[in-house]
Amino acid sequence: MVPLVVASLFVSNLVQKNSSWVSISSLPSSSDDGSSPSLNTSTETLNTEVEGGGEPVDLRRPRVVVDVHSVGDALSAEAVMSRAAAPPLAVETVRVQEMNETQETTVNITSSQSPINDKVSVNDTLPLKPRKARVGTNLDKLEAGLWRARAAIKEARNGNQLPDPDYVPIGPMYWDAKAFHRSYLEMEKQFKIFVYPEGEPPVFHDGPCKSIYSMEGNFIHKLDLDSKFQTKDPEKAHVFYLPFSVAKMVQFVYVRDSHDFGPIKRTVIDYVDLIARKYPYWNRSLGADHFMLSCHDWGPEASFSLPYLHKNSVRALCNANTSEKFNPIKDVSIPEINLQTGKLKGLVGGPSPSRRPILAFFAGGVHGPIRPVLLEHWENKDEDIRVHKYLPKGVSYYDMMRKSKYCICPSGYEVASPRIVEALYNGCVPVLISVSYVPPFSDVLNWKSFAVVLSVDDIPNLKNILTGISTRQYIRMQRRVLQVRTHFVFNSPPKRFDVFHMILHSIWLRRLNIEIKDDREFVTN
């Protein structure tokens, strides 16, 4: 009863007094099975009163037709991993252009690559063709700044590496280190995020910070307190954050053991309805410059509440599973970090390669299709491959990681695993065994340079594969692990290039790949 009472309180707080908020019927809803219908549809009328009174505003103007062409139903993780470019930067620009009432606008999200494995530079398809200068509205000014950022990133590819007092990206861990560095600096220079203030804790503006879902809560809290990237003026924002926590919805909205996602989906629908009525930005882009973030397994399910949220918006997810409609072209894979105490004290470190006597290590619950195969072949069968369901009494999990050269990271029920980040923290080369998983920050990081990426079919040959890696190559990979873990460290307060800023950078990259145009005349200050 308590969770339901709390849920009723925060849902009621969504609606401000004297508002004319009604049920959302105009935004397309998901079908009962959670699948998204085609977006070849038009938005219907959404009426709300102008703040302070007046005639209702028709949020349908203009009528918008969305035509989304994906690169296929799902991009395989293997295809993403083998690319020589970051997927988001190899996409044609998305243009959202507002016309008059009698005309329609089409939003095309397409891939400029065919086939998917073509070797394309990280910047080859950035839209750099000069256009007529038309800097009249706030949106025009934002787009002009993004155009300059694209040009600067493209120039950086053939230029000199810029100095940096904190960190200089260099090495094969990056698809293009100089382009990434310049993109990061451009992000610091101009990226602005508007966090919708609507909604009350615990479901909104709150989240878990001491669990396997810790990145969900910590991101919400850090962004709410951020003064550098957050703007209180939505007219200056490049992207808009929907600050709900799926983990908290599961705790306070979902009826335990009901297997009914309806209450969670209605909460998401009601929230988007509210902000779409109060602000013009969701309807202006059909959600293309909005983003959500979730580390809960049900994050994708929550996004299916609205087709525009699933199809158009950026979804920053730990559960980055392409077989479950994760699209690396527009979505962001973020790391799953199990911060049981909320802090990193004692979690980062480890000895040199010469002091790691164990070849490979895994210990964990047996769930999902991959781990039973791993245990069948290797549990208690080889002193070099230490595979356990449960660690022997008195043996430390983290000590075992620090004694091992390679840490085996098989997917469970979901593709993400906190072991990946734990391996990086402990200086252990991760061995990823998964299907359809897009590793975190693959838009920037070349995982095959510092991790071993295997298929389920490789499990019987695991020892031969690992012993086949020369000592010299292992040492290279281990050094790269120590360097790249900078991007996975959680800091409070955040520090440059850490996991908080890498999440922001991945969202920044997606915003660089869309262009939003509004042909209405605005009077701006």
Side-chain angles (χ1 to χ4, degrees), residues 9 22 45 65 82 106 171 200 212 219 302 317-318 378 413 466:
L9 288 175
V22 296
T45 305
V65 177
S82 65
T106 300
E200 299 292 334
I212 199 171
F219 183 87
L317 303 172
C318 287
W378 295 107
Y413 285 130
L466 296 182

Side-chain angles (χ1 to χ4, degrees), residues 50 226 249 309 364 374 385 524:
V50 179
D226 178 79
M249 288 185 192
L309 180 59
L374 178 66
I385 307 289
T524 59

Side-chain angles (χ1 to χ4, degrees), residues 10-22:
F10 77 75
V11 170
S12 65
N13 283 332
L14 278 176
V15 189
Q16 295 184 354
K17 294 180 180 180
N18 303 322
S19 73
S20 59
W21 190 47
V22 296

Side-chain angles (χ1 to χ4, degrees), residues 355-375:
R355 296 167 57 198
R356 294 176 178 265
I358 301 171
L359 179 63
F361 164 70
F362 168 79
V366 184
H367 55 80
I370 298 177
R371 296 183 186 182
V373 179
L374 178 66
L375 270 79

Side-chain angles (χ1 to χ4, degrees), residues 402-421:
R402 294 182 181 187
K403 291 178 181 178
S404 301
K405 292 180 173 64
Y406 299 94
C407 289
I408 305 170
C409 306
S411 294
Y413 285 130
E414 301 297 341
V415 292
S417 170
R419 285 170 182 79
I420 298 173
V421 174

Side-chain angles (χ1 to χ4, degrees), residues 131-164:
R131 295 183 295 275
K132 292 181 179 180
R134 190 183 72 90
V135 182
T137 68
N138 288 330
L139 181 59
D140 291 332
K141 295 175 183 177
L142 289 175
E143 291 297 336
L146 294 176
W147 191 92
R148 289 190 294 271
R150 296 181 190 113
I153 296 167
K154 186 175 180 67
E155 287 180 6
R157 180 189 175 198
N158 297 318
N160 296 324
Q161 179 64 273
L162 296 176
D164 196 294

Side-chain angles (χ1 to χ4, degrees), residues 185-415:
L185 295 177
E186 291 293 326
M187 175 190 76
E188 290 185 317
K189 185 188 302 182
Q190 60 173 300
F191 193 34
K192 294 298 178 185
I193 301 168
F194 181 73
V195 181
Y196 285 111
E198 285 69 28
E200 299 292 334
V203 169
F204 301 91
H205 299 279
D206 191 15
C209 296
K210 297 181 180 180
S211 73
I212 199 171
Y213 310 125
S214 63
M215 280 314 303
E216 187 171 307
N218 279 301
F219 183 87
I220 290 174
H221 289 295
K222 299 307 178 190
L223 191 56
D224 265 341
L225 296 174
D226 178 79
S227 59
K228 180 177 180 60
F229 294 100
Q230 187 186 162
T231 177
K232 300 297 183 182
D233 183 357
E235 286 294 307
K236 296 179 180 179
H238 297 93
V239 296
F240 300 81
Y241 178 39
L242 305 170
F244 56 74
S245 167
V246 177
K248 288 290 189 175
M249 288 185 192
V250 174
Q251 182 179 355
F252 291 101
V253 177
Y254 174 72
V255 179
R256 189 173 181 179
D257 298 326
S258 68
H259 307 291
D260 179 13
F261 290 101
I264 292 177
K265 290 187 174 183
R266 284 192 294 273
T267 301
V268 175
I269 291 171
D270 289 348
Y271 189 73
V272 175
D273 183 14
L274 175 64
I275 60 105
R277 292 173 182 279
K278 187 170 181 179
Y279 304 89
Y281 309 105
W282 174 270
N283 286 333
R284 180 179 70 181
S285 67
L286 295 180
D289 55 357
H290 288 59
F291 76 95
M292 60 166 283
L293 182 144
S294 175
C295 262
H296 197 278
D297 299 345
W298 294 352
E301 189 70 31
S303 74
F304 297 150
S305 306
L306 290 163
Y308 291 162
L309 180 59
H310 161 228
K311 292 276 190 177
N312 293 356
S313 300
V314 177
R315 301 179 303 155
L317 303 172
C318 287
N319 188 21
N321 190 341
T322 59
S323 69
E324 296 179 4
K325 301 182 180 180
F326 179 89
N327 181 2
I329 296 295
K330 72 166 192 66
D331 296 328
V332 171
S333 175
I334 63 176
E336 189 171 77
I337 304 178
N338 190 5
L339 291 176
Q340 296 180 353
T341 65
K343 298 179 180 179
L344 279 185
K345 186 177 180 180
L347 297 182
V348 179
S352 64
S354 63
R355 296 167 57 198
R356 294 176 178 265
I358 301 171
L359 179 63
F361 164 70
F362 168 79
V366 184
H367 55 80
I370 298 177
R371 296 183 186 182
V373 179
L374 178 66
L375 270 79
E376 177 187 350
H377 284 88
W378 295 107
E379 185 182 20
N380 299 323
K381 292 181 180 179
D382 195 301
E383 282 299 307
D384 293 327
I385 307 289
R386 305 285 185 90
V387 173
H388 308 274
K389 288 180 188 174
Y390 307 101
L391 280 175
K393 188 175 181 180
V395 176
S396 166
Y397 177 79
Y398 293 114
D399 283 348
M400 288 295 291
M401 277 194 158
R402 294 182 181 187
K403 291 178 181 178
S404 301
K405 292 180 173 64
Y406 299 94
C407 289
I408 305 170
C409 306
S411 294
Y413 285 130
E414 301 297 341
V415 292

